[in-house]
Amino acid sequence: MPKKYVIEQDRDNCIGCGACAAVCPDNWEMADDGLAKPLKTEISEAELECNKEAAEGCPVNVIHIYEVDESGNKKQII
Ligand code: F3S
């Protein structure tokens, strides 16, 4: 089974800077309320790099990515 990755965004603390949507437009867009939202919260390994860049570029660190194994155990990557 391929590895699965889950994205969590602490949206309450997003300041709408737009960095995530700029570096990873494949999965991040700015919503009508001015805050970012991910198009998908479950991503494949192939989609990881782009989303990691989004997380790394967020100035308030509200994007986190977890690796989920077959048993459902979550390990935080960023
Ligand atoms: Fe918000 Fe961070 Fe993106 S502040 S707009 S989640 S880069």
Side-chain angles (χ1 to χ4, degrees):
M1 199 166 96
K3 275 185 199 147
K4 192 174 83 172
Y5 299 89
V6 171
I7 296 173
E8 290 183 5
Q9 177 198 22
D10 173 12
R11 204 164 189 272
D12 289 346
N13 288 310
C14 168
I15 56 170
C17 89
C20 53
V23 300
C24 190
D26 283 353
N27 197 43
W28 290 87
E29 67 176 16
M30 302 309 288
D32 290 342
D33 63 4
L35 304 179
K37 69 169 198 237
L39 302 177
K40 291 199 293 186
T41 53
E42 279 193 20
I43 58 167
S44 68
E45 190 151 21
E47 297 164 317
L48 180 61
E49 202 51 45
C50 173
N51 283 282
K52 255 168 94 172
E53 282 172 24
E56 282 162 3
C58 176
V60 286
N61 284 318
V62 297
I63 300 173
H64 298 286
I65 305 176
Y66 298 83
E67 186 182 304
V68 182
D69 70 18
E70 308 76 40
S71 320
N73 297 314
K74 282 165 79 179
K75 187 177 91 186
Q76 185 167 6
I77 302 181
I78 185 163

